[in-house]
Amino acid sequence: MSISSGRQSQGSAGPSSQPSGSSADVAEPHVTVFDVVTDLRRDVAAVELPLSIEGSDVAAGQRSRLVDQLDDHLLPRLKELSSPAVVVIAGSTGAGKSTLLNSLLHEEVSEASVIRPTTREPVVVYNPQDAEVIEGTPLVGAVRSVANVNVPRGIALLDAPDLDSVLDENRETASRLLEGADLWLFVTTAARYGDALPWRTLEGAVERGATVAMVLNRAPKASLTTVRGDLLNRLREHRMESAPLFVVPDAGPHEGLLDASSVAPIERWLRTLGGADRARSVILRTLRGSLAALPPWVDELSGHVEAQHAAAVRLRRAADAALPPVAQATRLVVESGRLSLGAVETRWSQLTAPARLDKAISRSGLARGSARRGRSRDEHLEALTETVREAATAILTVATADARAALRDALEPLPGGAGLVPEVTEAQDDAAALEAVDAWVAAARADIERIDESEGKQNAAAVRAFGRDGLTALLLASAVGLAAAEDLLGRLLGNAGRDLSPEVTSRLADAAEAAVLAQGVPVQTALDHPALADDAAIGLRVRLAELAQLT
């Protein structure tokens, strides 16, 4: 693979627009790996995982780590290949990382102590002649930086916090610094080289294509051969047989720097990496490994995005199937006349005598009563309107609660369904139902308002004997199934009254059905999230195809 390979950039400004020392220096005009990785970073950062399904937490962490690696390592490296190669000195608590760094530099630049954790503040050390290219980089901005003439030109040494630090912040910092390194100088001891955590970390380095070297520190003379042989076997088992292994003898209790002869092999090795061309080779080798490690990572993240879509499809189907039975059952209750049972019937019986409903029709078939009587009936029948309103509100409140319960029963057993149905208070349900019923009552009143008294004696007599509000109460009671009200309304208004009742019933059934189906709107809105679309992973898949051309 060539780091200079890439794809045609659309609308590119040409080579003269590229910064000096960038990847364009080793690329054909208009062709950069930097563009591909920049687009990858944008698409990875844009990944959203709205549904809590199996693997979504892992995928979210994977997305964050990949963005960090692209930001901390690949993109800065591709943009500025002339920056020093970053050598991270890493290891477990008490491995002697800071002492090793200080000994390599022949002076104390990183605090070393028996108190754990020691490395609280990461420090990067570089040659003063590299200051111009390293200052302002993300690395220097994130840690304490020190210039030291004993650092070979072209590399920077970074003392990272302990991988197994008791402080969460230190462990997170160590992990991020390692992912941004060009080369790992891993420090362990005879007592700690078998720990599982360092090897898991090293496996991750190998998967990302990082270059690794190992230091066996404080090696006891008596068991050196055995420990060294075992450590070499472990390196082979973890596909790191080519990793250099340096042995630093046990110096016993001491303070300050190690003897120069004990770290001389490491110092000579670092100097072989120094110099612009040699450091560049280390960087390019790690870049090639890092780029080669990206496709499986991106492919797995794409799989998680596609799993989100598949889960959304199942949830949408379940939600679509859950509500129609509730809506149908609610409509049946309204249309069957069951709403009139109980309170509405009782209210009617209480009003029959005071409102003289039994004497409302004369022998001629017209409504009986003066305008004064009509106002009196109107006032009495106001209580009937309120009772019908309460019955209609109750059925809508129950229907919406049943709808959400049906949604939860259908969705919560499915991946991603938990918490998808929003919580609604009883007061919110009551308010929504009352609003719908008020609209229904207003529409019925408008029907009565349209009765033209000039069309005949029957209409005029009905309005005079009951008032329009009184007729509205009869219409509402008739619409919820009260047979006595339906019969009286038909006798008062004739066919016009008989035709109005089923229309008003249908409107209430429509309102109840709409209230049920409305409970699915928040669910459908959540499932309409762009991250759950069938093409949500297309950007990552395009990036995969581009990466395949680079590897």
Side-chain angles (χ1 to χ4, degrees):
M1 179 191 70
S2 171
I3 293 297
S4 63
S5 63
R7 58 177 171 78
Q8 184 71 28
S9 299
Q10 296 181 355
S12 176
S16 61
S17 66
Q18 298 290 343
S20 174
S22 73
S23 58
D25 293 344
V26 290
E28 298 174 10
H30 308 291
V31 180
T32 83
V33 180
F34 183 76
D35 286 342
V36 175
V37 179
T38 297
D39 289 347
L40 173 64
R41 193 265 180 215
R42 179 198 64 218
D43 290 340
V44 170
V47 166
E48 294 184 65
L49 305 161
L51 298 178
S52 180
I53 62 176
E54 183 179 358
S56 59
D57 290 342
V58 173
Q62 185 183 55
R63 173 197 57 203
S64 297
R65 289 193 300 274
L66 182 51
V67 169
D68 286 344
Q69 188 189 19
L70 294 173
D71 285 346
D72 295 343
H73 182 220
L74 270 172
L75 285 171
R77 272 288 170 239
L78 289 168
K79 187 175 182 180
E80 190 62 77
L81 286 173
S82 61
S83 292
V86 177
V87 180
V88 170
I89 302 176
S92 302
T93 300
K97 303 181 299 298
S98 297
T99 299
L100 177 63
L101 174 64
N102 294 335
S103 300
L104 291 170
L105 299 174
H106 308 297
E107 66 173 286
E108 298 274 356
V109 297
S110 184
E111 181 182 1
S113 170
V114 295
I115 300 174
R116 306 295 176 226
T118 300
T119 308
R120 299 176 183 272
E121 181 185 25
V123 56
V124 62
V125 191
Y126 55 88
N127 190 287
Q129 296 182 58
D130 288 328
E132 184 177 350
V133 290
I134 198 173
E135 289 176 357
T137 62
L139 174 65
V140 171
V143 302
R144 181 169 67 91
S145 59
V146 176
N148 186 289
V149 294
N150 292 314
V151 179
R153 179 81 188 277
I155 67 172
L157 299 177
L158 176 59
D159 188 14
D162 303 330
L163 285 173
D164 55 353
S165 173
V166 296
L167 302 178
D168 292 342
E169 181 182 357
N170 278 3
R171 292 198 304 272
E172 292 170 4
T173 300
S175 178
R176 184 165 184 177
L177 291 174
L178 285 168
E179 289 185 355
D182 297 301
L183 190 148
W184 294 20
L185 187 58
F186 202 89
V187 185
T188 187
T189 64
R192 301 294 303 273
Y193 75 90
D195 292 353
L197 176 61
W199 290 105
R200 286 200 302 270
T201 306
L202 289 170
E203 285 176 354
V206 173
E207 289 173 359
R208 288 191 292 276
T211 303
V212 177
M214 182 162 282
V215 176
L216 177 59
N217 195 22
R218 305 194 194 105
K221 185 175 181 180
S223 58
L224 177 58
T225 302
T226 301
V227 172
R228 186 176 183 278
D230 190 23
L231 186 51
L232 287 172
N233 286 333
R234 287 176 181 265
L235 287 170
R236 283 191 290 270
E237 291 171 0
H238 289 82
R239 297 175 295 153
M240 289 186 290
E241 58 274 6
S242 60
L245 173 60
F246 301 99
V247 176
V248 178
D250 187 4
H254 76 286
E255 294 183 3
L257 307 180
L258 297 171
D259 184 81
S261 62
S262 64
V263 297
I266 305 174
E267 190 173 352
R268 286 193 297 269
W269 175 72
L270 289 173
R271 295 197 178 281
T272 65
L273 302 177
D277 292 338
R278 291 190 294 273
R280 188 183 181 91
S281 296
V282 172
I283 293 170
L284 290 175
R285 184 167 62 250
T286 301
L287 276 177
R288 291 188 184 99
S290 297
L291 286 170
L294 287 177
W297 206 344
V298 177
D299 184 55
E300 185 176 351
L301 188 58
S302 300
H304 285 294
V305 173
E306 290 163 350
Q308 291 270 317
H309 165 66
V313 169
R314 291 190 293 270
L315 290 167
R316 190 184 300 277
R317 289 173 181 166
D320 289 343
L323 294 182
V326 181
Q328 184 178 5
T330 304
R331 175 175 283 276
L332 182 60
V333 169
V334 174
E335 293 177 340
S336 69
R338 279 182 268 171
L339 289 183
S340 68
L341 302 178
V344 176
E345 286 181 332
T346 300
R347 180 66 68 187
W348 177 266
S349 66
Q350 293 170 347
L351 294 174
T352 298
R356 302 186 68 179
L357 299 178
D358 54 340
K359 302 181 184 303
I361 306 295
S362 67
R363 291 181 180 180
S364 64
L366 297 177
R368 175 187 290 156
S370 62
R372 178 181 176 184
R373 173 59 64 187
R375 288 192 294 272
S376 175
R377 285 192 177 119
D378 194 328
E379 292 173 1
H380 283 299
L381 290 173
E382 183 180 348
L384 180 62
T385 297
E386 289 306 311
T387 302
V388 171
R389 188 194 302 271
E390 290 169 3
T393 301
I395 187 62
L396 263 66
T397 301
V398 170
T400 53
D402 288 349
R404 286 196 302 278
L407 279 172
R408 291 192 184 95
D409 289 345
L411 299 180
E412 289 186 354
L414 298 177
L420 200 57
V421 181
E423 294 294 333
V424 179
T425 66
E426 185 176 343
Q428 289 173 313
D429 268 349
D430 289 344
L434 186 59
E435 182 180 357
V437 170
D438 283 345
W440 173 66
V441 171
R445 182 173 284 111
D447 290 333
I448 296 299
E449 292 291 340
R450 285 192 288 271
I451 294 175
D452 190 347
E453 297 178 52
S454 66
E455 287 185 355
K457 292 182 179 180
Q458 187 176 28
N459 287 355
V463 173
R464 183 177 62 252
F466 276 81
R468 293 188 183 272
D469 286 345
L471 291 174
T472 299
L474 294 179
L475 177 57
L476 293 172
S478 172
V480 298
L482 188 64
E486 184 177 4
D487 177 67
L488 181 56
L489 187 67
R491 293 170 67 191
L492 289 170
L493 297 176
N495 290 334
R498 296 184 186 94
D499 292 341
L500 273 178
S501 182
E503 289 182 19
V504 177
T505 301
S506 181
R507 285 184 207 145
L508 181 58
D510 290 344
E513 184 175 0
V516 168
L517 298 178
Q519 304 311 303
V521 172
V523 174
Q524 299 296 347
T525 299
L527 296 177
D528 284 338
H529 195 293
L532 301 176
D534 57 356
D535 61 349
I538 191 169
L540 293 177
R541 292 299 178 189
V542 170
R543 303 290 84 82
L544 271 174
E546 293 178 334
L547 288 170
Q549 298 175 5
L550 304 180
T551 55

